[in-house]
Amino acid sequence: DTAVSQTPKYLVTQMGNDKSIKCEQNLGHDTMYWYKQDSKKFLKIMFSYNNKELIINETVPNRFSPKSPDKAHLNLHINSLELGDSAVYFCASSQDSGTAGNQPQHFGDGTRLSIL
Amino acid sequence: GESVGLHLPTLSVQEGDNSIINCAYSNSASDYFIWYKQESGKGPQFIIDIRSNMDKRQGQRVTVLLNKTVKHLSLQIAATQPGDSAVYFCAERWSFDMRFGAGTRLTVKP
């Protein structure tokens, strides 16, 4: 029973194309995230949504647009793909409201994006 | 090993030995810290966490130590097993923001 699922797992496409990555979590969490992991394994936060509202938007090119149709979904749309966009993109979720304070994030298994 | 520079630090240990992975965090306002394990082809997996009002927390075979004075975090793994081989990341949180360290690759020799 997958907690955070991303599709597709692999995405190979040409420069200049537009693509989307979908993410769904069935944990009932109120916060979702997108991370980018480069070839050196460095993980960098891109966006954070809490209860469908954008909370964090790092210095990410505006070719990247997240969309949260509901609390369980956070999709990532990328326009005009560039070679430097090649990376692994991870979706994550956590439960951050309530008296328990910050909780650990649960990650999907990633989407490997390769730009030709 | 500690995360410095752009290369992924590596730590190689013999099966059955104890492992210590170190991490320097950056923000003195961070109040929540997490260790993650990432295996090849998978997403980061939660191991253990600690809040800033504590300096030590133990789990099953793992212990996290927090030294806020020098902004240092460590993960100790007892009786390291081949299945512990992975990349380990520390992460610090404040509010909704979370930042990861550069990671340490742990290799366990049988």
Side-chain angles (χ1 to χ4, degrees), chain A residues 41-77:
Chain A
K41 295 288 191 183
F42 186 68
L43 267 163
K44 184 170 166 49
I45 193 168
M46 299 172 69
F47 301 102
S48 168
Y49 270 73
N50 176 254
N51 287 314
K52 294 169 50 185
E53 285 195 30
L54 182 63
I55 301 296
I56 291 172
N57 182 351
E58 284 297 299
T59 50
V60 176
N62 55 16
R63 298 183 294 105
F64 290 78
S65 53
K67 285 195 172 41
S68 183
D70 55 58
K71 274 172 48 173
H73 295 84
L74 181 63
N75 305 321
L76 184 65
H77 188 76

mmCIF file of all heavy atoms in Angstrom, chain A residues 41-77:
data_model
loop_
_atom_site.group_PDB
_atom_site.id
_atom_site.type_symbol
_atom_site.label_atom_id
_atom_site.label_comp_id
_atom_site.label_asym_id
_atom_site.label_seq_id
_atom_site.Cartn_x
_atom_site.Cartn_y
_atom_site.Cartn_z
ATOM 1 N N LYS A 41 23.770 13.692 -5.687
ATOM 2 C CA LYS A 41 22.879 13.267 -4.599
ATOM 3 C C LYS A 41 22.410 14.408 -3.703
ATOM 4 O O LYS A 41 21.802 14.153 -2.668
ATOM 5 C CB LYS A 41 23.537 12.189 -3.707
ATOM 6 C CG LYS A 41 23.805 10.883 -4.428
ATOM 7 C CD LYS A 41 22.518 10.158 -4.690
ATOM 8 C CE LYS A 41 22.762 8.745 -5.154
ATOM 9 N NZ LYS A 41 21.488 8.072 -5.479
ATOM 10 N N PHE A 42 22.688 15.649 -4.094
ATOM 11 C CA PHE A 42 22.262 16.757 -3.258
ATOM 12 C C PHE A 42 20.759 16.973 -3.421
ATOM 13 O O PHE A 42 20.277 17.116 -4.546
ATOM 14 C CB PHE A 42 23.032 18.024 -3.612
ATOM 15 C CG PHE A 42 22.741 19.167 -2.701
ATOM 16 C CD1 PHE A 42 23.146 19.132 -1.381
ATOM 17 C CD2 PHE A 42 22.042 20.268 -3.155
ATOM 18 C CE1 PHE A 42 22.870 20.189 -0.524
ATOM 19 C CE2 PHE A 42 21.756 21.332 -2.307
ATOM 20 C CZ PHE A 42 22.164 21.293 -0.989
ATOM 21 N N LEU A 43 20.044 17.013 -2.298
ATOM 22 C CA LEU A 43 18.588 17.182 -2.287
ATOM 23 C C LEU A 43 18.248 18.628 -1.956
ATOM 24 O O LEU A 43 18.629 19.146 -0.915
ATOM 25 C CB LEU A 43 17.965 16.297 -1.207
ATOM 26 C CG LEU A 43 17.494 14.922 -1.601
ATOM 27 C CD1 LEU A 43 17.295 14.064 -0.372
ATOM 28 C CD2 LEU A 43 16.201 14.999 -2.396
ATOM 29 N N LYS A 44 17.464 19.257 -2.843
ATOM 30 C CA LYS A 44 17.119 20.661 -2.614
ATOM 31 C C LYS A 44 15.609 20.842 -2.703
ATOM 32 O O LYS A 44 14.975 20.367 -3.647
ATOM 33 C CB LYS A 44 17.810 21.532 -3.659
ATOM 34 C CG LYS A 44 17.606 23.032 -3.461
ATOM 35 C CD LYS A 44 18.509 23.809 -4.386
ATOM 36 C CE LYS A 44 18.120 25.281 -4.481
ATOM 37 N NZ LYS A 44 17.928 25.933 -3.190
ATOM 38 N N ILE A 45 15.054 21.525 -1.700
ATOM 39 C CA ILE A 45 13.617 21.763 -1.717
ATOM 40 C C ILE A 45 13.270 22.747 -2.833
ATOM 41 O O ILE A 45 14.009 23.696 -3.103
ATOM 42 C CB ILE A 45 13.127 22.265 -0.338
ATOM 43 C CG1 ILE A 45 11.602 22.213 -0.259
ATOM 44 C CG2 ILE A 45 13.661 23.653 -0.039
ATOM 45 C CD1 ILE A 45 11.072 22.405 1.152
ATOM 46 N N MET A 46 12.163 22.480 -3.510
ATOM 47 C CA MET A 46 11.693 23.381 -4.564
ATOM 48 C C MET A 46 10.439 24.114 -4.103
ATOM 49 O O MET A 46 10.353 25.329 -4.162
ATOM 50 C CB MET A 46 11.381 22.586 -5.833
ATOM 51 C CG MET A 46 12.561 21.844 -6.414
ATOM 52 S SD MET A 46 12.075 20.748 -7.759
ATOM 53 C CE MET A 46 11.606 21.919 -9.025
ATOM 54 N N PHE A 47 9.451 23.338 -3.669
ATOM 55 C CA PHE A 47 8.159 23.907 -3.278
ATOM 56 C C PHE A 47 7.616 23.180 -2.057
ATOM 57 O O PHE A 47 7.903 22.014 -1.840
ATOM 58 C CB PHE A 47 7.117 23.748 -4.410
ATOM 59 C CG PHE A 47 7.487 24.381 -5.706
ATOM 60 C CD1 PHE A 47 7.962 23.602 -6.753
ATOM 61 C CD2 PHE A 47 7.366 25.744 -5.889
ATOM 62 C CE1 PHE A 47 8.303 24.178 -7.968
ATOM 63 C CE2 PHE A 47 7.704 26.335 -7.102
ATOM 64 C CZ PHE A 47 8.183 25.545 -8.135
ATOM 65 N N SER A 48 6.777 23.913 -1.319
ATOM 66 C CA SER A 48 6.066 23.308 -0.212
ATOM 67 C C SER A 48 4.644 23.859 -0.216
ATOM 68 O O SER A 48 4.452 25.070 -0.349
ATOM 69 C CB SER A 48 6.772 23.646 1.103
ATOM 70 O OG SER A 48 5.971 23.303 2.198
ATOM 71 N N TYR A 49 3.674 22.959 -0.088
ATOM 72 C CA TYR A 49 2.261 23.337 -0.023
ATOM 73 C C TYR A 49 1.685 22.832 1.285
ATOM 74 O O TYR A 49 1.846 21.671 1.633
ATOM 75 C CB TYR A 49 1.470 22.695 -1.173
ATOM 76 C CG TYR A 49 1.393 23.517 -2.424
ATOM 77 C CD1 TYR A 49 2.512 23.657 -3.246
ATOM 78 C CD2 TYR A 49 0.223 24.145 -2.793
ATOM 79 C CE1 TYR A 49 2.440 24.418 -4.396
ATOM 80 C CE2 TYR A 49 0.140 24.903 -3.946
ATOM 81 C CZ TYR A 49 1.264 25.038 -4.744
ATOM 82 O OH TYR A 49 1.197 25.781 -5.893
ATOM 83 N N ASN A 50 0.980 23.712 1.991
ATOM 84 C CA ASN A 50 0.276 23.319 3.195
ATOM 85 C C ASN A 50 -1.208 23.587 2.984
ATOM 86 O O ASN A 50 -1.597 24.718 2.706
ATOM 87 C CB ASN A 50 0.809 24.093 4.402
ATOM 88 C CG ASN A 50 0.036 23.783 5.673
ATOM 89 O OD1 ASN A 50 -0.752 24.590 6.146
ATOM 90 N ND2 ASN A 50 0.274 22.621 6.232
ATOM 91 N N ASN A 51 -2.019 22.535 3.114
ATOM 92 C CA ASN A 51 -3.465 22.660 2.873
ATOM 93 C C ASN A 51 -3.765 23.380 1.550
ATOM 94 O O ASN A 51 -4.573 24.308 1.485
ATOM 95 C CB ASN A 51 -4.166 23.384 4.023
ATOM 96 C CG ASN A 51 -4.271 22.513 5.253
ATOM 97 O OD1 ASN A 51 -4.648 21.345 5.161
ATOM 98 N ND2 ASN A 51 -3.907 23.055 6.393
ATOM 99 N N LYS A 52 -3.078 22.954 0.517
ATOM 100 C CA LYS A 52 -3.245 23.441 -0.858
ATOM 101 C C LYS A 52 -2.718 24.849 -1.087
ATOM 102 O O LYS A 52 -2.873 25.385 -2.178
ATOM 103 C CB LYS A 52 -4.728 23.397 -1.284
ATOM 104 C CG LYS A 52 -5.310 22.011 -1.390
ATOM 105 C CD LYS A 52 -6.820 22.025 -1.558
ATOM 106 C CE LYS A 52 -7.271 22.947 -2.662
ATOM 107 N NZ LYS A 52 -8.739 23.052 -2.754
ATOM 108 N N GLU A 53 -2.097 25.449 -0.093
ATOM 109 C CA GLU A 53 -1.556 26.796 -0.288
ATOM 110 C C GLU A 53 -0.044 26.748 -0.388
ATOM 111 O O GLU A 53 0.625 26.060 0.407
ATOM 112 C CB GLU A 53 -1.947 27.694 0.882
ATOM 113 C CG GLU A 53 -3.393 28.122 0.820
ATOM 114 C CD GLU A 53 -3.675 29.280 1.758
ATOM 115 O OE1 GLU A 53 -2.767 30.086 2.018
ATOM 116 O OE2 GLU A 53 -4.821 29.348 2.227
ATOM 117 N N LEU A 54 0.514 27.500 -1.315
ATOM 118 C CA LEU A 54 1.957 27.545 -1.508
ATOM 119 C C LEU A 54 2.611 28.226 -0.312
ATOM 120 O O LEU A 54 2.283 29.355 0.042
ATOM 121 C CB LEU A 54 2.277 28.318 -2.793
ATOM 122 C CG LEU A 54 3.750 28.419 -3.171
ATOM 123 C CD1 LEU A 54 4.334 27.050 -3.461
ATOM 124 C CD2 LEU A 54 3.930 29.341 -4.362
ATOM 125 N N ILE A 55 3.555 27.513 0.322
ATOM 126 C CA ILE A 55 4.233 28.044 1.504
ATOM 127 C C ILE A 55 5.677 28.408 1.173
ATOM 128 O O ILE A 55 6.177 29.428 1.601
ATOM 129 C CB ILE A 55 4.216 26.988 2.642
ATOM 130 C CG1 ILE A 55 2.785 26.615 3.010
ATOM 131 C CG2 ILE A 55 4.986 27.484 3.852
ATOM 132 C CD1 ILE A 55 1.983 27.745 3.588
ATOM 133 N N ILE A 56 6.347 27.518 0.456
ATOM 134 C CA ILE A 56 7.741 27.748 0.094
ATOM 135 C C ILE A 56 7.865 27.670 -1.416
ATOM 136 O O ILE A 56 7.371 26.738 -2.045
ATOM 137 C CB ILE A 56 8.666 26.698 0.738
ATOM 138 C CG1 ILE A 56 8.714 26.899 2.239
ATOM 139 C CG2 ILE A 56 10.077 26.761 0.144
ATOM 140 C CD1 ILE A 56 9.438 25.796 2.958
ATOM 141 N N ASN A 57 8.535 28.653 -1.972
ATOM 142 C CA ASN A 57 8.846 28.638 -3.391
ATOM 143 C C ASN A 57 10.295 29.094 -3.499
ATOM 144 O O ASN A 57 10.580 30.280 -3.440
ATOM 145 C CB ASN A 57 7.901 29.574 -4.148
ATOM 146 C CG ASN A 57 8.163 29.556 -5.645
ATOM 147 O OD1 ASN A 57 9.126 28.984 -6.128
ATOM 148 N ND2 ASN A 57 7.293 30.201 -6.393
ATOM 149 N N GLU A 58 11.191 28.126 -3.580
ATOM 150 C CA GLU A 58 12.605 28.447 -3.648
ATOM 151 C C GLU A 58 12.920 29.117 -4.973
ATOM 152 O O GLU A 58 12.053 29.279 -5.823
ATOM 153 C CB GLU A 58 13.433 27.167 -3.479
ATOM 154 C CG GLU A 58 13.493 26.701 -2.047
ATOM 155 C CD GLU A 58 14.188 27.692 -1.146
ATOM 156 O OE1 GLU A 58 15.381 27.971 -1.382
ATOM 157 O OE2 GLU A 58 13.546 28.202 -0.214
ATOM 158 N N THR A 59 14.161 29.501 -5.154
ATOM 159 C CA THR A 59 14.539 30.187 -6.394
ATOM 160 C C THR A 59 14.546 29.199 -7.547
ATOM 161 O O THR A 59 15.589 28.780 -8.039
ATOM 162 C CB THR A 59 15.918 30.841 -6.248
ATOM 163 O OG1 THR A 59 16.821 29.859 -5.724
ATOM 164 C CG2 THR A 59 15.860 32.017 -5.325
ATOM 165 N N VAL A 60 13.356 28.810 -7.917
ATOM 166 C CA VAL A 60 13.162 27.854 -8.998
ATOM 167 C C VAL A 60 12.669 28.640 -10.210
ATOM 168 O O VAL A 60 11.822 29.529 -10.056
ATOM 169 C CB VAL A 60 12.109 26.802 -8.574
ATOM 170 C CG1 VAL A 60 11.803 25.854 -9.707
ATOM 171 C CG2 VAL A 60 12.580 26.039 -7.347
ATOM 172 N N PRO A 61 13.176 28.355 -11.407
ATOM 173 C CA PRO A 61 12.691 29.072 -12.594
ATOM 174 C C PRO A 61 11.171 28.965 -12.719
ATOM 175 O O PRO A 61 10.583 27.928 -12.366
ATOM 176 C CB PRO A 61 13.379 28.338 -13.754
ATOM 177 C CG PRO A 61 14.568 27.681 -13.149
ATOM 178 C CD PRO A 61 14.219 27.371 -11.747
ATOM 179 N N ASN A 62 10.545 30.013 -13.215
ATOM 180 C CA ASN A 62 9.085 29.944 -13.295
ATOM 181 C C ASN A 62 8.591 29.052 -14.417
ATOM 182 O O ASN A 62 7.379 28.971 -14.677
ATOM 183 C CB ASN A 62 8.456 31.351 -13.353
ATOM 184 C CG ASN A 62 9.011 32.175 -14.483
ATOM 185 O OD1 ASN A 62 9.636 31.643 -15.396
ATOM 186 N ND2 ASN A 62 8.797 33.470 -14.418
ATOM 187 N N ARG A 63 9.502 28.333 -15.071
ATOM 188 C CA ARG A 63 9.097 27.242 -15.971
ATOM 189 C C ARG A 63 8.499 26.085 -15.168
ATOM 190 O O ARG A 63 7.816 25.219 -15.714
ATOM 191 C CB ARG A 63 10.296 26.717 -16.761
ATOM 192 C CG ARG A 63 10.955 27.746 -17.675
ATOM 193 C CD ARG A 63 12.096 27.143 -18.475
ATOM 194 N NE ARG A 63 13.208 26.721 -17.635
ATOM 195 C CZ ARG A 63 13.495 25.469 -17.326
ATOM 196 N NH1 ARG A 63 12.734 24.481 -17.780
ATOM 197 N NH2 ARG A 63 14.526 25.176 -16.569
ATOM 198 N N PHE A 64 8.823 26.048 -13.857
ATOM 199 C CA PHE A 64 8.293 25.008 -12.983
ATOM 200 C C PHE A 64 7.050 25.546 -12.286
ATOM 201 O O PHE A 64 7.117 26.568 -11.602
ATOM 202 C CB PHE A 64 9.336 24.627 -11.916
ATOM 203 C CG PHE A 64 10.519 23.895 -12.456
ATOM 204 C CD1 PHE A 64 11.541 24.579 -13.109
ATOM 205 C CD2 PHE A 64 10.628 22.522 -12.322
ATOM 206 C CE1 PHE A 64 12.647 23.905 -13.621
ATOM 207 C CE2 PHE A 64 11.728 21.831 -12.816
ATOM 208 C CZ PHE A 64 12.740 22.526 -13.465
ATOM 209 N N SER A 65 5.932 24.863 -12.460
ATOM 210 C CA SER A 65 4.710 25.324 -11.802
ATOM 211 C C SER A 65 4.041 24.150 -11.088
ATOM 212 O O SER A 65 3.594 23.191 -11.730
ATOM 213 C CB SER A 65 3.757 25.971 -12.807
ATOM 214 O OG SER A 65 3.520 25.122 -13.899
ATOM 215 N N PRO A 66 3.978 24.234 -9.760
ATOM 216 C CA PRO A 66 3.284 23.202 -9.000
ATOM 217 C C PRO A 66 1.785 23.485 -8.996
ATOM 218 O O PRO A 66 1.364 24.638 -9.080
ATOM 219 C CB PRO A 66 3.868 23.354 -7.598
ATOM 220 C CG PRO A 66 4.257 24.795 -7.517
ATOM 221 C CD PRO A 66 4.563 25.271 -8.907
ATOM 222 N N LYS A 67 1.017 22.402 -8.878
ATOM 223 C CA LYS A 67 -0.436 22.563 -8.787
ATOM 224 C C LYS A 67 -0.975 21.553 -7.786
ATOM 225 O O LYS A 67 -0.671 20.370 -7.884
ATOM 226 C CB LYS A 67 -1.094 22.360 -10.155
ATOM 227 C CG LYS A 67 -0.901 23.532 -11.086
ATOM 228 C CD LYS A 67 -1.805 23.510 -12.276
ATOM 229 C CE LYS A 67 -1.732 24.777 -13.099
ATOM 230 N NZ LYS A 67 -0.384 25.322 -13.292
ATOM 231 N N SER A 68 -1.770 22.065 -6.840
ATOM 232 C CA SER A 68 -2.326 21.194 -5.809
ATOM 233 C C SER A 68 -3.843 21.219 -5.899
ATOM 234 O O SER A 68 -4.487 22.090 -5.309
ATOM 235 C CB SER A 68 -1.849 21.662 -4.429
ATOM 236 O OG SER A 68 -2.326 20.797 -3.424
ATOM 237 N N PRO A 69 -4.444 20.267 -6.622
ATOM 238 C CA PRO A 69 -5.903 20.268 -6.766
ATOM 239 C C PRO A 69 -6.616 19.947 -5.454
ATOM 240 O O PRO A 69 -7.746 20.389 -5.241
ATOM 241 C CB PRO A 69 -6.162 19.182 -7.814
ATOM 242 C CG PRO A 69 -4.944 18.324 -7.801
ATOM 243 C CD PRO A 69 -3.801 19.196 -7.376
ATOM 244 N N ASP A 70 -5.967 19.187 -4.587
ATOM 245 C CA ASP A 70 -6.500 18.887 -3.254
ATOM 246 C C ASP A 70 -5.332 18.505 -2.360
ATOM 247 O O ASP A 70 -4.198 18.394 -2.825
ATOM 248 C CB ASP A 70 -7.562 17.773 -3.316
ATOM 249 C CG ASP A 70 -7.048 16.510 -3.977
ATOM 250 O OD1 ASP A 70 -6.032 15.953 -3.491
ATOM 251 O OD2 ASP A 70 -7.624 16.089 -5.000
ATOM 252 N N LYS A 71 -5.620 18.280 -1.088
ATOM 253 C CA LYS A 71 -4.537 18.041 -0.127
ATOM 254 C C LYS A 71 -3.731 16.779 -0.425
ATOM 255 O O LYS A 71 -2.609 16.645 0.001
ATOM 256 C CB LYS A 71 -5.127 17.922 1.286
ATOM 257 C CG LYS A 71 -5.299 19.245 1.979
ATOM 258 C CD LYS A 71 -6.069 19.125 3.285
ATOM 259 C CE LYS A 71 -5.570 18.017 4.179
ATOM 260 N NZ LYS A 71 -6.242 18.046 5.501
ATOM 261 N N ALA A 72 -4.321 15.859 -1.149
ATOM 262 C CA ALA A 72 -3.654 14.572 -1.395
ATOM 263 C C ALA A 72 -2.799 14.573 -2.652
ATOM 264 O O ALA A 72 -2.105 13.596 -2.920
ATOM 265 C CB ALA A 72 -4.701 13.463 -1.487
ATOM 266 N N HIS A 73 -2.846 15.644 -3.421
ATOM 267 C CA HIS A 73 -2.136 15.678 -4.705
ATOM 268 C C HIS A 73 -1.309 16.943 -4.842
ATOM 269 O O HIS A 73 -1.763 18.035 -4.483
ATOM 270 C CB HIS A 73 -3.125 15.615 -5.880
ATOM 271 C CG HIS A 73 -3.887 14.341 -5.958
ATOM 272 N ND1 HIS A 73 -5.036 14.116 -5.225
ATOM 273 C CD2 HIS A 73 -3.653 13.202 -6.667
ATOM 274 C CE1 HIS A 73 -5.479 12.893 -5.493
ATOM 275 N NE2 HIS A 73 -4.662 12.323 -6.363
ATOM 276 N N LEU A 74 -0.087 16.772 -5.370
ATOM 277 C CA LEU A 74 0.737 17.915 -5.739
ATOM 278 C C LEU A 74 1.473 17.542 -7.011
ATOM 279 O O LEU A 74 2.370 16.708 -6.989
ATOM 280 C CB LEU A 74 1.728 18.279 -4.627
ATOM 281 C CG LEU A 74 2.610 19.497 -4.929
ATOM 282 C CD1 LEU A 74 1.758 20.754 -5.089
ATOM 283 C CD2 LEU A 74 3.650 19.707 -3.827
ATOM 284 N N ASN A 75 1.059 18.144 -8.106
ATOM 285 C CA ASN A 75 1.658 17.845 -9.396
ATOM 286 C C ASN A 75 2.668 18.925 -9.760
ATOM 287 O O ASN A 75 2.579 20.061 -9.287
ATOM 288 C CB ASN A 75 0.565 17.733 -10.468
ATOM 289 C CG ASN A 75 -0.494 16.703 -10.084
ATOM 290 O OD1 ASN A 75 -0.169 15.652 -9.531
ATOM 291 N ND2 ASN A 75 -1.754 17.001 -10.362
ATOM 292 N N LEU A 76 3.623 18.532 -10.603
ATOM 293 C CA LEU A 76 4.675 19.470 -11.029
ATOM 294 C C LEU A 76 4.686 19.534 -12.541
ATOM 295 O O LEU A 76 4.890 18.515 -13.208
ATOM 296 C CB LEU A 76 6.035 19.005 -10.509
ATOM 297 C CG LEU A 76 7.220 19.923 -10.779
ATOM 298 C CD1 LEU A 76 7.061 21.257 -10.051
ATOM 299 C CD2 LEU A 76 8.534 19.241 -10.356
ATOM 300 N N HIS A 77 4.448 20.723 -13.072
ATOM 301 C CA HIS A 77 4.478 20.910 -14.511
ATOM 302 C C HIS A 77 5.725 21.708 -14.874
ATOM 303 O O HIS A 77 6.052 22.694 -14.202
ATOM 304 C CB HIS A 77 3.225 21.655 -14.990
ATOM 305 C CG HIS A 77 3.120 21.701 -16.479
ATOM 306 N ND1 HIS A 77 2.735 20.616 -17.243
ATOM 307 C CD2 HIS A 77 3.389 22.700 -17.347
ATOM 308 C CE1 HIS A 77 2.761 20.937 -18.515
ATOM 309 N NE2 HIS A 77 3.152 22.193 -18.617
#
